[in-house]
Amino acid sequence: DEGDRNNKVVYSQFNATSRFDNVQLEIGMKFDIVKVFVEVVRDYTIYHGRDINWKKRDLIRATFVYKVNECPWEIYCAWADK
């Protein structure tokens, strides 16, 4: 069906005015810059008592992993053209 091919997935935009105790991270969420993503993930994991490590971080991407070896949790952000 042609209508199905024209449907674009719309991802939520991070609201920078959200309080760190009220942030809901979602798959595909958009952030204005990687620096904001890094700050949000840091605040989010501190608030929820999670220990994370930076796996990779530069100006256009960031990856964090959970410190517990048995947990496969990973979060990733990369620059994408609009």
Side-chain angles (χ1 to χ4, degrees), residues 52-80:
I52 60 170
N53 284 330
W54 288 344
K55 184 175 179 182
K56 180 176 194 115
R57 181 177 173 203
D58 58 33
L59 295 176
I60 61 170
R61 64 187 161 247
T63 304
F64 297 94
V65 294
Y66 195 40
K67 281 186 178 179
V68 177
N69 291 336
E70 300 82 35
C71 181
W73 183 89
E74 185 172 295
I75 189 166
Y76 174 77
C77 178
W79 174 259

Side-chain angles (χ1 to χ4, degrees), residues 5-51:
R5 284 186 280 173
N6 292 329
N7 290 337
K8 284 184 147 184
V9 176
V10 178
Y11 295 111
S12 60
Q13 176 74 34
F14 174 71
N15 180 353
T17 63
S18 295
R19 291 176 33 141
F20 69 89
D21 62 342
N22 196 30
V23 170
Q24 297 293 318
L25 298 175
E26 299 176 16
I27 294 174
M29 181 173 272
K30 295 181 178 184
F31 294 82
D32 290 332
I33 58 175
V34 173
K35 180 181 176 187
V36 172
F37 170 76
V38 170
E39 291 170 359
V40 169
V41 170
R42 182 198 64 221
D43 291 347
Y44 180 87
T45 57
I46 289 170
Y47 179 78
H48 291 283
R50 306 283 190 255
D51 288 327

